[in-house]
Amino acid sequence: MCGIVGYVGHRDVAGFLLEGLHRLEYRGYDSAGIAVLQNDEIKVRKKAGRVQELSSELDSNPVQSSIGIGHTRWATHGEATNENSHPHIGGNGEVVLVHNGVIENYIDLRNQLQGLGFVFKSQTDSEVIAHLLAHHLQEQVKLGEDASTKETCLKALELTTRKLNGTYGIVAMFKECSNTIICARAGSPLVIGIGKDEYFLGSDSSPLIGYTEDVVYLSDYEIAILSSDGMEIIHRDSGHQSPSIQTLKQVSADSDLGDFEHYMLKEIYEQPQSIENAMRGRLDEDEATAKFGGLNIDPQQLRKIDRIVLTACGTSWHAGLVGEYLLEEFARIPTEVEYASELRYRNPPMTDNTMVFTITQSGETADTLAAMRECKRKGHPTLAICNVVGSTIAREADGGIYLHAGPEIGVASTKAFTSQVTVLTLLALYLGRMRHLSQPAGSRIIQQLKEIPDIIRKTLKCHEAVKDISERYCHYENFLYLGRLYNFPVALEGALKLKEISYSHAEGYPAAEMKQGPIALVDEKTPSVFIVPRGNIYPKVLSNLEEIKARKGPVIAIACEGDTRIEQLADDVIYVPDVEDYLQPLVTSIPLQFLSYHIALLRGCNVDRPRNLAKSVTVE
Ligand code: M6R
């Protein structure tokens, strides 16, 4: 994960680095640090904790330079301490670097370097790269090379990268080689922004926004040298490359909290609008279908699809499960939902006409990206359902559908989930209308979808009721979340929300399946959140609920307005509007978002920045 930022040019670098690190904090917030070259000296400032801590450190201990690198960390190797924070200095202070990725052979390298006399100050895998780089630089100097030239530094970095197994985005500065940054990548993204006599660097484009629109995305095994003389890109095997300059697509980032206390709450309330945005311009009432601008695949080919694989992680995977039900119901196409972290190493049989959809809010999740690349390598068309415009997955997919949900900043995904489900509904309608779905059925779906934003507005009115209920349940340590059919993925999603922000344990299950084991957990201290709206199997879910009550388990029910029967069975009821079964996830997920939010607040947790997590999981 980790965010990387860098700059060489004529500006005062600290301001740019700090602003960039703030923008990259979604990639990790265990520690932050910067290094600059000031009067031919490497100056490092780093702190465990948020970028804000680093900012305060810089207020009392400022630096002054126009070249520097920075890092915000999500800890993989070694705890979140000052020592383990980046940047790391190598050797006798000849080099300093920041790293994003995981070095798998770091223990062997560390042992070798310790044998050569290098002294380690941290537990990180990244410090190994710093010492290895210093070692190769020292070796070059012994061979008579000049440490102040970029050729020597480049050679040292190239030799270093050849010894690394794993993934890396490395940005390094050299004490003797003033005014030069050298960076390398394999598996961890780096973007170079080109300004007038200046270069910007980021592990994604967010730090560059507002500074330049001309960017180069470094490819695997490329090394870039950025200096006042210009930019050079060298591929490890094929030598000098002419840079492919692209235009950065800038989206206006409405990242203001407004009147809300937390981003999560703001984003929950944005859902009527974000769902509307996901549908905007995509409903074709004349043809009773959906339409998409960027699929980049012709309808003939789409007609031939005989299998769909949806791959994703976390909340996006839950949206994929809803998608499976939708695609099989409306388009009758066999659909599998694969954890991207599994799919990337599995080799499931795929027909020639299997279409792969990755689902991702950020477009940067390492496992999702790797799974997509593996499917693409096998020749399958890969399409992305993605929120962040210009993200790595959005760029590398053959085509796709943007969510247009706007920035999602809270670590707990809320509006991205409902937007993903909305887009998957449109996709199921579109593929269905190419096959078995009749014109009247398509028209009915469109009319129902058009009503959804207003229905979500009404659903948000459950907020006060959920807040009250949360006070009664915030002290419980274990929860079951139970639902069936379209509400089974919602149960999984509700449980994930509670776990990640309140640190209470929660399990999501298909409601009937709990009899196969989990019911053993049920007692007075284990509440069950039952998702039991009216619909095809309402009576069946009610029976499951009674089974829990018979074992003294407290029950919170999510039920449809006007359902009086449920009141006699459940301890607490949260009412939501009544919608068709296939639309229920859009509605029933909302009270569960509020529930996790309020329980987390009452437990004193940091709702937007929960412990151990990052918004985007960019390591495998
Ligand atoms: O950006 P992505 O959709 O690829 O992220 C996938 C998961 O990391 C993400 O959904 C995660 O599970 C959320 N924090 C859950 O709220």
Side-chain angles (χ1 to χ4, degrees):
M1 342 256 263
C2 305
I4 286 180
V5 63
Y7 176 81
V8 54
H10 40 76
R11 296 170 197 255
D12 178 33
V13 76
F16 171 75
L17 295 179
L18 269 182
E19 187 187 352
L21 291 179
H22 272 297
R23 294 186 193 178
L24 287 169
E25 232 181 349
Y26 77 93
R27 298 175 80 102
Y29 38 80
D30 286 336
S31 66
I34 65 166
V36 302
L37 276 178
Q38 183 174 326
N39 305 326
D40 297 329
E41 290 296 322
I42 292 173
K43 302 271 182 208
V44 174
R45 304 284 184 268
K46 55 187 192 177
K47 276 298 235 190
R50 302 283 154 80
V51 176
Q52 196 46 50
E53 313 280 330
L54 172 68
S55 186
S56 311
E57 167 70 14
L58 279 162
D59 286 343
S60 44
N61 214 349
V63 290
Q64 180 84 46
S65 178
S66 53
I67 175 168
I69 59 180
H71 187 271
T72 175
R73 177 169 186 250
W74 185 81
T76 58
H77 297 66
E79 289 174 25
T81 60
N82 290 342
E83 293 70 33
N84 289 334
S85 310
H86 297 222
H88 290 288
I89 290 200
N92 302 315
E94 299 95 325
V95 304
V96 64
L97 60 76
V98 291
H99 164 231
N100 173 28
V102 171
I103 303 304
E104 288 165 4
N105 58 336
Y106 88 102
I107 293 180
D108 290 347
L109 291 170
R110 187 179 169 116
N111 290 340
Q112 288 165 25
L113 287 160
Q114 280 172 330
L116 292 169
F118 287 89
V119 179
F120 283 78
K121 296 200 171 96
S122 77
Q123 287 85 50
T124 64
D125 54 340
S126 310
E127 194 185 1
V128 163
I129 314 173
H131 288 311
L132 192 58
L133 182 57
H135 167 65
H136 283 300
L137 191 64
Q138 291 165 6
E139 293 292 297
Q140 290 298 302
V141 172
K142 277 190 209 154
L143 291 171
E145 301 297 341
D146 179 355
S148 69
T149 67
K150 22 185 221 222
E151 290 74 20
T152 308
C153 299
L154 170 68
K155 183 76 188 163
L157 185 57
E158 199 202 312
L159 290 167
T160 300
T161 56
R162 285 187 187 275
K163 294 208 174 130
L164 304 177
N165 295 341
T167 53
Y168 56 80
I170 302 166
V171 182
M173 292 190 304
F174 301 77
K175 186 173 174 225
E176 305 266 311
C177 190
S178 57
N179 233 358
T180 303
I181 288 179
I182 307 191
C183 54
R185 75 157 270 183
S188 302
L190 284 176
V191 192
I192 300 164
I194 305 167
K196 191 164 172 354
D197 303 322
E198 59 182 348
Y199 293 98
F200 308 88
L201 255 171
S203 42
D204 66 37
S205 57
S206 56
L208 282 45
I209 290 174
Y211 289 93
T212 180
E213 290 188 345
D214 295 329
V215 297
V216 173
Y217 294 94
L218 213 61
S219 299
D220 279 347
Y221 307 115
E222 284 183 343
I223 296 183
I225 308 171
L226 311 173
S227 74
S228 41
D229 300 341
M231 171 172 69
E232 279 178 78
I233 297 180
I234 297 116
H235 189 278
R236 196 173 74 172
D237 304 318
S238 45
H240 272 87
Q241 309 289 307
S242 37
S244 145
I245 299 173
Q246 299 186 30
T247 304
L248 188 61
K249 289 190 188 124
Q250 311 206 356
V251 273
S252 67
D254 173 20
S255 45
D256 230 6
L257 261 179
D259 292 336
F260 290 95
E261 212 181 321
H262 297 99
Y263 284 108
M264 181 179 177
L265 191 61
K266 174 177 182 252
E267 287 155 10
I268 293 173
Y269 270 95
E270 280 172 351
Q271 288 174 107
Q273 193 58 56
S274 52
I275 289 174
E276 200 159 4
N277 291 348
M279 292 194 283
R280 179 160 297 118
R282 291 174 173 160
L283 295 177
D284 181 344
E285 295 198 53
D286 293 341
E287 302 291 336
T289 186
K291 54 183 179 190
F292 304 102
L295 283 182
N296 299 340
I297 192 159
D298 68 72
Q300 305 280 351
Q301 205 178 340
L302 283 171
R303 281 258 332 124
K304 287 194 203 138
I305 298 174
D306 58 13
R307 187 160 177 245
I308 291 177
V309 170
L310 302 173
T311 188
C313 300
T315 288
S316 300
W317 186 81
H318 296 152
L321 288 180
V322 180
E324 176 187 1
Y325 290 12
L326 288 162
L327 287 160
E328 293 194 342
E329 180 172 341
F330 292 145
R332 319 272 333 134
I333 304 174
T335 302
E336 301 281 338
V337 190
E338 291 266 1
Y339 279 118
S341 53
E342 293 292 306
L343 182 63
R344 64 182 292 184
Y345 294 118
R346 254 159 55 72
N347 197 10
M350 294 216 204
T351 61
D352 287 350
N353 291 316
T354 297
M355 169 83 69
V356 178
F357 273 93
T358 55
I359 309 172
T360 170
Q361 187 284 130
S362 62
E364 301 292 347
T365 303
D367 286 323
T368 311
L369 175 61
M372 184 180 87
R373 285 181 176 161
E374 175 64 4
C375 296
K376 202 171 175 177
R377 194 191 55 74
K378 289 179 178 162
H380 295 287
T382 54
L383 300 175
I385 294 173
C386 182
N387 193 33
V388 178
V389 176
S391 57
T392 309
I393 290 176
R395 283 185 290 109
E396 290 194 17
D398 296 318
I401 309 170
Y402 277 121
L403 300 180
H404 300 308
E408 189 181 68
I409 291 165
V411 164
S413 186
T414 51
K415 63 176 178 174
F417 174 76
T418 47
S419 293
Q420 287 163 343
V421 169
T422 305
V423 162
L424 286 159
T425 312
L426 298 182
L427 185 68
L429 168 65
Y430 176 62
L431 295 175
R433 285 286 292 130
M434 283 184 164
R435 293 171 168 75
H436 317 269
L437 209 63
S438 67
Q439 162 98 12
S443 290
R444 203 164 47 245
I445 291 170
I446 288 185
Q447 291 320 309
Q448 287 163 349
L449 279 169
K450 282 170 67 181
E451 288 168 18
I452 278 293
D454 273 340
I455 290 175
I456 301 298
R457 269 178 208 106
K458 288 188 193 125
T459 310
L460 290 168
K461 297 206 169 111
C462 71
H463 186 175
E464 279 308 310
V466 181
K467 194 171 167 188
D468 283 354
I469 288 173
S470 304
E471 285 177 19
R472 291 198 281 287
Y473 289 88
C474 64
H475 303 297
Y476 288 94
E477 293 300 332
N478 293 294
F479 288 77
L480 285 174
Y481 279 67
L482 302 164
R484 293 182 78 163
L485 299 184
Y486 280 104
N487 287 302
F488 160 52
V490 177
L492 294 177
E493 174 58 8
L496 173 64
K497 272 322 62 116
L498 189 74
K499 275 186 276 216
E500 71 176 326
I501 61 168
S502 79
Y503 319 143
S504 315
H505 177 244
E507 293 284 341
Y509 260 91
E513 186 66 16
M514 52 92 188
K515 291 197 288 293
Q516 316 301 336
I519 200 165
L521 297 170
V522 172
D523 61 13
E524 305 88 325
K525 293 196 220 107
T526 307
S528 293
V529 180
F530 252 94
I531 310 159
V532 56
R534 282 196 205 95
N536 288 341
I537 55 159
Y538 172 76
K540 303 279 177 199
V541 191
L542 275 194
S543 307
N544 300 140
L545 193 155
E546 301 233 33
E547 287 153 9
I548 296 282
K549 283 309 301 170
R551 285 155 185 90
K552 300 194 172 47
V555 167
I556 305 170
I558 313 294
C560 285
E561 281 154 2
D563 183 344
T564 46
R565 197 165 151 203
I566 196 81
E567 281 177 2
Q568 293 147 33
L569 298 172
D571 298 275
D572 287 285
V573 185
I574 301 164
Y575 289 105
V576 293
D578 197 351
V579 291
E580 292 289 321
D581 286 26
Y582 77 95
L583 292 170
Q584 283 170 358
L586 294 173
V587 170
T588 54
S589 56
I590 286 173
L592 303 189
Q593 295 168 351
F594 281 136
L595 188 67
S596 60
Y597 173 79
H598 282 292
I599 290 184
L601 274 191
L602 290 161
R603 290 170 74 97
C605 301
N606 185 333
V607 169
D608 283 333
R609 294 275 155 92
R611 71 182 181 203
N612 302 343
L613 290 170
K615 180 67 183 157
S616 181
V617 182
T618 56
V619 290
E620 77 166 298

